[in-house]
Structure formats: structure tokens, C-alpha cells
Amino acid sequence: IVIAYQDVSNNAVKLAVLPSVAERKWSVSTIAAPEAGARLGMFTQLTLDGSDTATVAFRAEAIQKMDGRVVSQLVVARAGSAAPGGPGDWTQTVVDEADMNCAGLCGLGKSCVAKTVMMKTSYACSAASGTCNPGCSKTQLCVAGACQEILAPQPLGAADGTGLYTRMVANGGSGAALFFNRTEGALKLAQGPEWKPVVVDGGSGAAVGAHPGAVLAADGTMHIAYQDTQSDRVLYRSWKDGKGGKVEIADDGNRGQAPAREVHVVGAGAVVFLDASGAPQAVYQDQTAGTLELAQRASTGTWTVSTKATGNTRSRGYYPQVLKQGERLLVLDVQYDRTREAPLSNVAFTALQ
């Protein structure tokens, strides 16, 4: 058993290996430790090759550059063997990088300020410099003789930058990484060993590509489902030899019939798998209804959506995983009961066939 995970307390990415289930003795090692001020480990994903050598992808954020910018990165670490002992046994590659809003992330003596050049706004950590006359207000910083507004930390919300919702896909080698770059609004794909990212869909701020799920077919076709965060629907695209197929709407979020029709937010946690005929299917959450959904593609290219699990007072569909038990396909998902004084969560199994 091999597990890659974020160690929040120690701000590190770690690997836990259980060589023998009978002995129950875990071996834990550090994959990566951060630079000063940086944070590591969100959206950590793992894949193993045929020799059980691990490739781990994770997000690094709040990395300060020399010019004051604060960036996020998608990092892929490849182990040198099946038994790495520490950071020195891994080769790390920065796959993608994007600026972040630096509010609340600057060190002592610096503040986050915004500057707009040719209608493009960027953020940087700056120290006071020069003389401003008249003086700046309490919400401003004097930078090179000009008053600039200081950006205050924002309420916790959707993370910005890149390396979001990463999903590793096994391909028999070092793997492939699907991830969302919110700055570009694009779903990207990078495959080892080169790890050069390409845009699968979106870009130019289109906000397409959250919650990707994918599976690789025997013929080398990658079947990808992901969320269009502008329209809150589930999209599908096949990918082979560096080229994408037609973008299809797997679930448009429409529920019910007029005049009682509702539009739901759908697509969180998408997991893609192939049925017995090789047709792609996807399970994911309907975030509005709190249900577990299944989208199935027919040979004609049409999609059928059905609800596989509802929880009455419990919300279903969090973190779904597809498991095979003999000839049966099961979905494991987390359900929450928020009606209790102390919210309760547990794991449920749903048979797909």
C-alpha cells in the first residue's frame, strides 16, 4: 500500500508505504519541504508505474519571487526507486506557474499592492520607498513616490493560481497530470517524462476545467470529464496523440420539467471509468441537491444522467471513488448529515451494476 499526502502541521508532502499488510509497519518519508513562506501539498495525487515507483503531483503556493510577485505552481516529483528515503531521492519538476493575489502573504515590512499596466493588473509584495507628497492614507503604501492601495486579505474562497483539482492518470509509465489553472481559466494536461503542459479546454479566462476526472483506454485514448465553472455543467472530451475530440455536454445541470425546472451546479469530484463495452461513464456530485450522479455515454455520443444515491437529510456524493468487486462496480462516497448539532459524516457504497 502506498499513500501520498499533505502534512499540514509540518507543511510538507509525504509518502507512506506499507510493504507488508501482515506486519502493519508503515515507512514514512518526506517528498518535499517548502521554501520560506511557501505552502505545499494541496491536491496531492499519486500514481505508480509497473515497478511500483511513485510519481506524485502537488500544488505549491505563496512562493515569493524576486520581483515581489507571489505565485502558485503545480509540481511533479518522481521517485528514483520504489523505496525513496527523503527529498534527495526525488526529482522535482515545476510543470506550471501562475500569479496569485498576494494579500496576506507578504512578509514583515511589506504589503501587497496592485498595479495596472496596459489594462492588466498584477500584484506584488512591496516595501515603502520614496517620498509621497501629499502623504498616503492608512490604506495606501508609498511605492517609488506614488501612493498605491494596499490589498487587504480576502475571506476564504476559491483558490486562485494553478495546480488546482489535480488528477493523476496511470499510463504504465510516469503518469499524466490533469489540472485546472484558474488564472488562465483552462484545463491543462502534462505527461511524463517531459511534463510540458498543453491546454485541453478553456483558456483566456474561460473558467473551464475544475474537478477533472479521467481514465486511459487500451488504445491510448484518454476520456476526460470536467466542470465548466461558468455554466456549472459537466463537459467531456476525448484526448489522443495530443489532439482533443469534440467537447460534449455530459450534464447540463437541468433538473425537472418546465415550469418547475431548476438548474443545478454539477460536476464536483468527477471520476471517469469505462463500462464493459469501453464506453466512458462519470460519477460526480450534484452540489445543489447533494446527490451522487452518474452520466453514461452511448455509442451515438448522447449522454444519459441518473441519480444513483440521495441522502434525505444527508448530502451525498462527496469524494466519489469507483471500485470493482468481481463483476460488480461500486461507488464509494462520503455523506454528511448537517441536521445534527455535531455534523456527522460516514462512507457509503452504491452499486452501479
Side-chain angles (χ1 to χ4, degrees):
I1 300 174
V2 183
I3 302 172
Y5 62 96
Q6 178 188 26
D7 182 338
V8 177
S9 298
N10 294 297
N11 192 18
V13 182
K14 293 187 175 181
L15 190 78
V17 179
L18 182 64
S20 169
V21 176
E23 292 183 9
R24 298 283 181 179
K25 186 176 181 180
W26 288 88
S27 172
V28 178
S29 60
T30 299
I31 298 172
E35 303 174 15
R39 299 193 296 258
L40 299 184
M42 288 184 67
F43 305 106
T44 294
Q45 286 272 296
L46 162 74
T47 188
L48 302 175
D49 66 11
S51 63
D52 288 337
T53 300
T55 302
V56 177
F58 58 90
R59 172 177 155 100
E61 61 183 23
I63 301 167
Q64 294 200 22
K65 296 291 189 176
M66 293 297 293
D67 60 3
R69 291 180 303 119
V70 175
V71 303
S72 58
Q73 298 173 339
L74 174 69
V75 180
V76 169
R78 172 73 173 168
S81 70
D89 296 329
W90 296 80
T91 299
Q92 294 188 35
T93 302
V94 176
V95 176
D96 200 38
E97 181 176 287
D99 286 0
M100 297 177 62
N101 185 325
C102 57
L105 300 177
C106 301
L108 292 175
K110 293 185 178 181
S111 298
C112 181
V113 296
K115 62 178 180 180
T116 301
V117 178
M118 297 182 66
M119 300 183 68
K120 183 177 180 181
T121 301
S122 61
Y123 306 95
C125 294
S126 299
S129 61
T131 302
C132 291
N133 190 12
C136 301
S137 70
K138 293 182 179 179
T139 62
Q140 295 178 324
L141 181 72
C142 184
V143 179
C147 293
Q148 297 187 21
E149 291 294 327
I150 298 173
L151 277 68
Q154 300 297 308
L156 186 63
D160 61 352
T162 192
L164 303 171
Y165 308 110
T166 302
R167 182 80 70 174
M168 288 294 289
V169 182
N171 60 7
S174 51
L178 275 167
F179 61 97
F180 181 45
N181 182 318
R182 193 182 300 277
T183 301
E184 297 179 17
L187 173 65
K188 290 186 168 184
L189 171 66
Q191 302 189 68
E194 294 85 6
W195 300 111
K196 300 296 184 183
V198 296
V199 173
V200 173
D201 195 10
S204 302
V208 175
H211 301 287
V215 66
L216 189 68
D219 68 354
T221 299
M222 187 177 294
H223 299 275
I224 308 169
Y226 50 99
Q227 187 182 63
D228 174 354
T229 53
Q230 288 182 315
S231 302
D232 298 320
R233 56 188 181 173
V234 179
L235 303 180
Y236 163 84
R237 192 172 204 184
S238 62
W239 191 269
K240 185 177 181 181
D241 298 330
K243 297 180 180 179
K246 177 184 176 182
V247 176
E248 302 172 10
I249 300 174
D251 185 349
D252 60 10
N254 287 319
R255 299 294 187 267
Q257 301 295 324
R261 177 175 293 168
E262 298 178 345
V263 180
H264 289 196
V265 178
V266 293
V271 174
V272 180
F273 60 99
L274 303 178
D275 66 12
S277 69
Q281 303 187 35
V283 290
Y284 50 89
Q285 187 187 47
D286 178 331
Q287 295 130 274
T288 302
T291 56
L292 178 67
E293 304 292 295
L294 171 66
Q296 299 172 284
R297 188 179 189 273
S299 58
T300 58
T302 59
W303 289 83
T304 302
V305 177
S306 58
T307 298
K308 304 306 294 184
T310 60
N312 296 321
T313 61
R314 299 183 178 187
S315 295
R316 294 291 300 270
Y318 294 93
Y319 315 113
Q321 296 292 323
V322 176
L323 311 173
K324 190 170 185 180
Q325 184 184 56
E327 296 302 316
R328 302 175 67 205
L329 282 176
L330 303 174
V331 179
L332 175 154
D333 71 301
V334 175
Q335 57 181 343
Y336 287 97
D337 186 349
R338 302 184 187 278
T339 64
R340 300 166 59 98
E341 182 176 345
L344 174 71
S345 66
N346 57 14
V347 175
F349 289 87
T350 303
L352 293 180
Q353 54 180 238

